[in-house]
Amino acid sequence: MAHGSNTGPVRGLKLVTLLFALSPELLLPGAGVKLQDNGYDGLLVAINPQVPENLSLIANIKEMLTEASFYLFNATKRRVFFRTIQILIPATWTAHNYSKVKQESYEKANVIVTEQNGAHGDDPYTLQHRGCGKEGKYIHFTPNFLLNDELIAGYGSRGRVFVHEWAHLRWGVFDEYSKDKPFYLNGRNEIQVTRCSSGITGVFVCEKGLCPHEDCIISKLFREGCTFLYNSTQNATASIMFMQSLPSVVEFCNASTHNHEAPNLQNQKCSLRSTWDVIADSSDFHQSFPMHGAELPPPPTFSLMQAGDKVICLVMDVSKKMAEADRLLRLQQAAELYLMQVVEVRTLVGIVTFDSKGEIRAQLQQVNSDDDRRQLASYLPASVSTEEDANTCAGVKRGFEVLEKRNGRADGSVMILVTSGADEHISNCLLSAVSSGVTIHSIALGSSAASKLEELSHLTGGLKFFIPDKSNPNRMTEAFYRISSGTGDIFQQSLQLESMYEIVPPQQQRTNPVTVDGAVGNDTVFQVTWQTSRPPEMTVLDPSGRKYNLSDFVVNLAFRTASLRVPGTAKHGRWTYTLNNTHPSPQALEVTVASRASSLAIYPATVEAFVERDSTHFPQPVIIYANVRKGLYPILNATVVATVEPEAGDPVMLQLLDNGAGADVIKNDGIYSRYFFSFPVSGRYSLTVRVRHSPSISTLAHSVPGSHAMYVPGYIANDNIQMNAPKQPGRRGMEGQWDFSRVSAGGSFSVQAVPAGPHPDMFPPCKITDLEAAKVEDDVILSWTAPGEDFDQGQATSYEIRMSKSLRRIRDDFDKAILVNTSELDPQQAGTRETFTFSPKLVTDELEPESDGEMQENHMVYVAMRTLDHSSLKSAVSNIALVSLSTPPSSAPALSRDDLVLKGVLIAVGLITIICLIIVAAHWTLNRKKRALKKENGTKLL
């Protein structure tokens, strides 16, 4: 027996590994799409529950992805295709013998289908929150895009559009067109349209038809009524990231076809590298080689699945360890609020406890009323057991029994596992957890909780949380609030508006405001918790002045909680709550305020906090993100503060930014981010994000930022203008002055190899990613956002700026490029916008020998920079900015072969007209002379 117990965990891990190797379809949903033998497995497409039922939507998704698979296979030179695809049907749709979900959910989907309201209408787009070469968050399609065939004329076929977006999502490449900078001055003093490759041709079109481009450009701006249309027939085969709709386009721009001068996001974010170079450098291509032969891969296999009833089982540790640091009390308070407020109506809930063995306290019961909620809460554990051991697998096994009792299987169910035990035998139930179809969310209490606990969550696609013993007692409640149903129906979810914790001295009170904004108000609850045997005095005042007293609260003295449920829809505006500590000693008082959406017409503001990776090694930083949105639309100018709590030590507060610099990739995309590197110890770290938004003019972006597939307004076909239907914008979101507050638990992450005691500076300044260059008269003006002394925090020491006429030189050998004098340039505080002006004339002579054989008439100069800190640590080289030193032409030269033809025709017509006028004038003059001569001769004869 001893031998068996020692080898059990190892055997379990080997079985899990073997299972993954043999059955790619069982790979963890939500852990990402897996590539094996040139085929992608596990792509998850999810339809939002708010989308009306339409079976044509499923058929068109299948058609789109089948076409995309073959198009992708050819575009990647026979390297990758889609093998297995899962489509998640909403539970709100009629059942049609769909498979039942396992760990799949809307929140884990790679592709989401949901309505879109805003300026971009039906634009497919990808939300990219990370840098070049890194995976994005999701691809979004509207139902109208997938159903309306009229849109194909502007976007191209849906399969081509999907490959465009897949390259954004999977490989982290960016768009090669630019709506902000539709044209630019190249190094040969020519005005060019922003495109890739530059071999794609087209002409300018004015209100009355074709026109020379000088009639369309005024002071580097498009004249109103002008546009640029591309020829429908092209010879260029690239690029998919520019205009996938062109029939000739079947590949990505590579090093030979890439237009590195174009002012687009691909060049800015990827340091002028071509999309194919970035794709070829991905891990996908390191393990996939071109398939031999000429045969095409088989079409994708689709699995249609539908979620059933929402089923949840709470599995809670009651071993002796739970008596430490008020762990059980905090669990009771959080679990009671979860059952009374967070769990959605019609959810089935069961309860299990465990110490050395598991015990079923409540079989599955459906939540349909407050009485159902109260009954479930009565089954929560009242005390800890006398046993030291916590057998997590015994609790998990009992949880599976509860979940399977309803219909024999636990597929699609959720387990919330809470433990503080140092159980080293969790590996024994890893295999059963993976095969169960259950998503396990884990909450680790205190630093002694088993290190393997997170494996259960990781392998089943669940969230994981860590609650330090010395943390804010509300952290447990915040973790429970983050665990939603996973359906994507935000209108059903309870949103946490406030989470306050304060140690209040005796006979003193605290008064704080909280806003119930216009998008929430239904099912609003105020919950107060305390430490002593009797509750504090408490009052709540609504915006109209109505007061709620202690008598209006439901008090649970055993759990030390008091809850006020506001009847009907809570009034919108500023509420105020007051707590008075009547106890003779100081005590911690906590307040949680939560509410649901007030109507289906207005999306509520939401915040999703997360980190880039689950674990890191010192000194590698962690990037913290907060996705702040109203529906799909980014909320701008919010104050977003992350609180990170280690196992030991004080919490660290860090303001997250949406400024497009440092850790933040795209400015004003609603994803706020920052580097975190203040690691006092090795171990687990807990993350919570608080968002506050004050009334402001600029609050909601009316376009969804992201990498959009281009909608083409029209083409030139057979010398005729063929315009597509104007793109229809969606409805705009709610405008006006409004404010809100939200709280979101961001889960946990671990840090390893943190040295004990003081350690030398190992954190360099972060890479500058938004360097821009512009020529003003004879000078070049650079602008960028200042990095910090340590990544994106503090104040650096100096900048190193270099320039070259050779892209290869400055990109591959920065130290050998020409150094610009920056002796008078001192870095500002991180996040500050910097500018620097210099004269390129001072180094023009030195630049000439660097041309590396490039055309000497090319007047384009490349500029890059890096930052140094006080320890002489250097940042990575910035993005490469380029600037033309040419004098802008007063009458711009031609842009393309077609434009040359057009201008040639116009010149030829002009010359012919002039010649004709000369001939007419000469003929008229000659006749006049003849008449005069005849008249003169006649006179003489007389």
Side-chain angles (χ1 to χ4, degrees):
M1 292 297 294
H3 177 75
S5 62
N6 289 335
T7 60
V10 176
R11 185 180 297 121
L13 286 173
K14 287 182 178 179
L15 286 172
V16 170
T17 304
L18 180 61
L19 175 67
F20 286 1
L22 296 178
S23 304
E25 69 276 4
L26 293 178
L27 288 170
L28 166 63
V33 179
K34 302 297 182 183
L35 178 63
Q36 182 173 294
D37 297 331
N38 297 93
Y40 288 114
D41 291 302
L43 176 67
L44 179 60
V45 182
I47 302 172
N48 191 280
Q50 294 296 317
V51 174
E53 182 169 355
N54 188 331
L55 297 183
S56 296
L57 198 57
I58 300 173
N60 287 8
I61 291 172
K62 289 182 175 181
E63 182 181 330
M64 172 180 71
L65 293 172
T66 300
E67 179 195 3
S69 182
F70 296 121
Y71 187 59
L72 179 69
F73 183 69
N74 290 322
T76 57
K77 308 183 190 330
R78 302 180 58 81
R79 280 179 173 84
V80 293
F81 61 93
F82 297 113
R83 180 185 290 113
T84 62
I85 297 170
Q86 299 161 312
I87 302 177
L88 182 58
I89 312 298
T92 52
W93 288 23
T94 306
H96 288 285
N97 295 321
Y98 301 126
S99 301
K100 191 173 181 181
V101 299
K102 292 187 177 179
Q103 284 106 355
E104 300 84 5
S105 71
Y106 183 88
E107 295 174 344
K108 301 173 188 175
N110 313 107
V111 182
I112 60 173
V113 179
T114 185
E115 296 291 352
Q116 168 83 333
N117 300 321
H120 282 288
D122 292 301
D123 273 2
Y125 74 89
T126 302
L127 190 60
Q128 291 183 266
H129 64 293
R130 302 168 69 197
C132 180
K134 298 183 179 180
E135 288 190 62
K137 196 158 181 62
Y138 58 74
I139 298 171
H140 168 258
F141 294 108
T142 65
N144 189 51
F145 172 82
L146 294 169
L147 295 171
N148 187 354
D149 290 342
E150 293 180 2
L151 295 176
I152 293 175
Y155 290 106
S157 68
R158 297 186 186 104
R160 286 170 167 257
V161 171
F162 188 87
V163 171
H164 176 98
E165 299 304 329
W166 177 255
H168 287 312
L169 180 75
R170 184 72 179 183
W171 299 313
V173 296
F174 293 84
D175 286 324
E176 294 169 332
Y177 67 92
S178 173
K179 293 183 179 178
D180 297 329
K181 298 178 180 178
F183 61 93
Y184 64 97
L185 186 67
N186 71 5
R188 288 169 294 282
N189 205 30
E190 300 169 338
I191 292 178
Q192 293 281 341
V193 173
T194 302
R195 63 201 192 279
C196 191
S197 70
S198 56
I200 293 179
T201 59
V203 296
F204 278 105
V205 175
C206 301
E207 292 177 337
K208 296 181 180 180
L210 301 179
C211 58
H213 56 270
E214 54 262 33
D215 289 350
C216 268
I217 300 172
I218 307 173
S219 301
K220 299 185 178 181
L221 295 174
F222 266 123
R223 185 194 298 271
E224 186 176 356
C226 282
T227 188
F228 189 85
L229 298 184
Y230 295 90
N231 294 323
S232 60
T233 302
Q234 302 276 348
N235 294 322
T237 57
S239 170
I240 292 171
M241 302 315 296
F242 171 65
M243 191 183 291
Q244 73 287 331
S245 57
L246 287 172
S248 68
V249 170
V250 292
E251 59 186 26
F252 299 95
C253 265
N254 56 33
S256 62
T257 58
H258 177 62
N259 179 10
H260 62 261
E261 295 182 346
N264 53 36
L265 273 182
Q266 172 62 24
N267 278 328
Q268 179 186 347
K269 299 301 179 184
C270 296
S271 293
L272 310 187
R273 296 175 66 197
S274 73
T275 53
W276 182 250
D277 285 345
V278 176
I279 293 169
D281 198 34
S282 69
S283 59
D284 284 356
F285 281 45
H286 290 166
Q287 58 180 299
S288 295
F289 301 96
M291 294 176 62
H292 299 296
E295 293 184 0
L296 292 175
T301 299
F302 293 92
S303 300
L304 304 183
M305 52 189 60
Q306 186 176 34
D309 294 329
K310 289 169 282 192
V311 182
I312 297 171
C313 186
L314 302 183
V315 179
M316 297 171 287
D317 184 359
V318 292
S319 67
K320 204 169 182 179
K321 277 278 187 185
M322 291 294 292
E324 300 175 7
D326 285 332
R327 291 172 186 165
L328 180 65
L329 176 62
R330 295 157 82 177
L331 173 58
Q332 290 168 331
Q333 293 170 342
E336 181 193 46
L337 183 59
Y338 179 74
L339 294 173
M340 295 300 299
Q341 173 69 18
V342 181
V343 171
E344 298 170 12
V345 175
R346 294 183 294 277
T347 301
L348 292 154
V349 181
I351 297 176
V352 168
T353 58
F354 67 93
D355 43 28
S356 63
K357 58 186 180 300
E359 177 187 358
I360 298 175
R361 296 182 64 90
Q363 296 287 356
L364 293 178
Q365 299 182 24
Q366 191 168 48
V367 175
N368 292 309
S369 66
D370 286 347
D371 288 339
D372 296 333
R373 296 178 184 275
R374 282 190 287 270
Q375 184 177 10
L376 279 166
S378 70
Y379 294 118
L380 292 172
S383 61
V384 299
S385 75
T386 57
E387 296 193 30
E388 296 279 354
D389 294 336
N391 186 341
T392 306
C393 285
V396 170
K397 181 179 179 181
R398 288 295 189 189
F400 289 155
E401 290 179 19
V402 170
L403 296 172
E404 292 169 356
K405 188 158 189 177
R406 185 163 178 264
N407 55 19
R409 291 192 60 81
D411 291 346
S413 303
V414 168
M415 183 182 295
I416 302 176
L417 175 61
V418 186
T419 182
S420 63
D423 182 0
E424 295 304 322
H425 300 290
I426 292 180
S427 299
N428 290 337
C429 50
L430 289 179
L431 181 60
S432 60
V434 172
S435 60
S436 69
V438 176
T439 298
I440 301 178
H441 305 294
S442 62
I443 302 177
L445 307 183
S447 57
S448 62
S451 58
K452 291 285 185 182
L453 180 64
E454 284 88 351
E455 284 294 312
L456 283 170
S457 296
H458 176 71
L459 292 174
T460 61
L463 301 172
K464 53 190 180 62
F465 303 90
F466 166 61
I467 314 295
D469 285 333
K470 295 182 179 180
S471 69
N472 180 333
N474 271 358
R475 292 293 178 256
M476 181 92 72
T477 300
E478 293 160 3
F480 271 100
Y481 261 99
R482 177 64 190 276
I483 301 171
S484 68
S485 63
T487 64
D489 190 352
I490 191 62
F491 295 102
Q492 300 299 319
Q493 295 178 19
S494 184
L495 304 173
Q496 196 170 4
L497 313 185
E498 171 72 301
S499 179
M500 188 281 295
Y501 161 73
E502 190 171 351
I503 298 177
V504 181
Q507 307 305 320
Q508 292 194 23
Q509 67 180 29
R510 292 292 183 267
T511 300
N512 290 305
V514 60
T515 297
V516 177
D517 56 272
V520 296
N522 284 349
D523 199 16
T524 302
V525 65
F526 287 72
Q527 173 165 297
V528 180
T529 63
W530 61 92
Q531 294 175 309
T532 60
S533 58
R534 67 175 185 264
E537 292 179 355
M538 58 191 82
T539 60
V540 174
L541 200 66
D542 78 4
S544 67
R546 177 182 175 181
K547 180 181 287 188
Y548 298 88
N549 298 308
L550 180 59
S551 59
D552 297 303
F553 285 74
V554 177
V555 178
N556 184 336
L557 292 177
F559 291 175
R560 301 172 198 171
T561 65
S563 298
L564 169 67
R565 190 174 298 275
V566 179
T569 300
K571 291 183 181 296
H572 300 151
R574 180 169 295 229
W575 291 61
T576 304
Y577 60 88
T578 301
L579 304 179
N580 183 15
N581 180 20
T582 57
H583 197 264
S585 61
Q587 68 169 322
L589 302 179
E590 304 100 44
V591 176
T592 294
V593 183
S595 187
R596 299 185 200 272
S598 57
S599 77
L600 297 178
I602 304 175
Y603 279 92
T606 59
V607 54
E608 177 196 8
F610 57 99
V611 292
E612 183 182 27
R613 57 171 65 92
D614 288 341
S615 63
T616 188
H617 280 75
F618 182 90
Q620 180 71 28
V622 169
I623 300 179
I624 298 173
Y625 298 99
N627 188 9
V628 186
R629 307 190 107 61
K630 192 173 180 64
L632 293 172
Y633 292 91
I635 295 174
L636 312 181
N637 304 321
T639 300
V640 183
V641 177
T643 301
V644 183
E645 296 181 87
E647 287 190 8
D650 296 327
V652 178
M653 300 183 71
L654 186 67
Q655 183 170 357
L656 309 185
L657 303 175
D658 187 15
N659 61 354
D664 195 64
V665 176
I666 304 293
K667 183 177 181 179
N668 290 338
D669 66 348
I671 296 185
Y672 297 72
S673 53
R674 205 77 180 269
Y675 287 106
F676 176 74
F677 49 87
S678 300
F679 307 130
V681 294
S682 295
R684 294 182 175 107
Y685 286 72
S686 174
L687 169 65
T688 301
V689 167
R690 179 186 296 270
V691 178
R692 294 196 182 277
H693 193 285
S694 300
S696 170
I697 295 174
S698 178
T699 57
L700 184 67
H702 292 302
S703 63
V704 174
S707 300
H708 294 254
M710 181 195 294
Y711 183 86
V712 181
Y715 293 98
I716 302 296
N718 299 322
D719 297 328
N720 294 318
I721 299 173
Q722 294 183 353
M723 298 301 293
N724 295 322
K727 186 171 66 172
Q728 296 297 319
R731 295 170 294 164
R732 291 184 178 271
M734 186 180 71
E735 296 194 47
Q737 305 226 348
W738 48 278
D739 61 342
F740 71 89
S741 61
R742 297 287 188 272
V743 179
S744 174
S748 64
F749 60 91
S750 63
V751 182
Q752 302 174 18
V754 177
H759 48 76
D761 181 11
M762 301 182 69
F763 306 116
C766 66
K767 174 182 175 179
I768 294 169
T769 59
D770 60 350
L771 177 65
E772 296 181 353
K775 182 174 180 290
V776 178
E777 296 180 348
D778 292 331
D779 292 330
V780 171
I781 298 179
L782 303 179
S783 60
W784 67 94
T785 302
E789 164 77 7
D790 299 324
F791 294 108
D792 54 4
Q793 297 165 47
Q795 189 169 348
T797 302
S798 63
Y799 291 121
E800 178 183 358
I801 300 175
R802 294 182 181 271
M803 57 189 296
S804 174
K805 292 190 74 174
S806 166
L807 170 59
R808 186 166 52 253
R809 173 71 59 84
I810 201 163
R811 185 176 62 195
D812 302 336
D813 201 354
F814 178 79
D815 290 328
K816 292 187 178 179
I818 299 300
L819 185 66
V820 176
N821 185 359
T822 58
S823 58
E824 298 182 1
L825 176 60
D826 294 322
Q828 302 300 304
Q829 192 71 21
T832 305
R833 194 64 184 170
E834 301 258 43
T835 59
F836 177 66
T837 303
F838 68 96
S839 174
K841 289 183 177 180
L842 300 177
V843 292
T844 299
D845 293 339
E846 298 178 72
L847 287 172
E848 289 302 323
E850 296 189 44
S851 62
D852 292 344
E854 297 175 9
M855 296 178 64
Q856 291 301 309
E857 65 269 21
N858 187 348
H859 300 283
M860 192 67 69
V861 171
Y862 305 92
V863 185
M865 62 188 301
R866 63 185 172 194
T867 315
L868 285 75
D869 68 6
H870 291 85
S871 302
S872 298
L873 296 177
K874 297 179 180 180
S875 71
V877 177
S878 71
N879 66 292
I880 301 172
L882 61 168
V883 61
S884 174
L885 300 184
S886 306
T887 302
S890 56
S891 178
L895 288 124
S896 65
R897 179 184 59 81
D898 299 84
D899 219 14
L900 281 170
V901 171
L902 174 63
K903 191 162 187 177
V905 169
L906 293 174
I907 293 173
V909 170
L911 289 174
I912 292 171
T913 302
I914 294 172
I915 292 171
C916 290
L917 289 173
I918 292 173
I919 293 172
V920 170
H923 182 70
W924 181 81
T925 303
L926 182 60
N927 287 339
R928 185 179 180 184
K929 287 182 177 180
K930 287 182 178 180
R931 287 194 300 270
L933 182 59
K934 185 175 181 181
K935 184 177 181 180
E936 182 182 349
N937 292 335
T939 302
K940 288 181 179 178
L941 289 171
L942 290 172

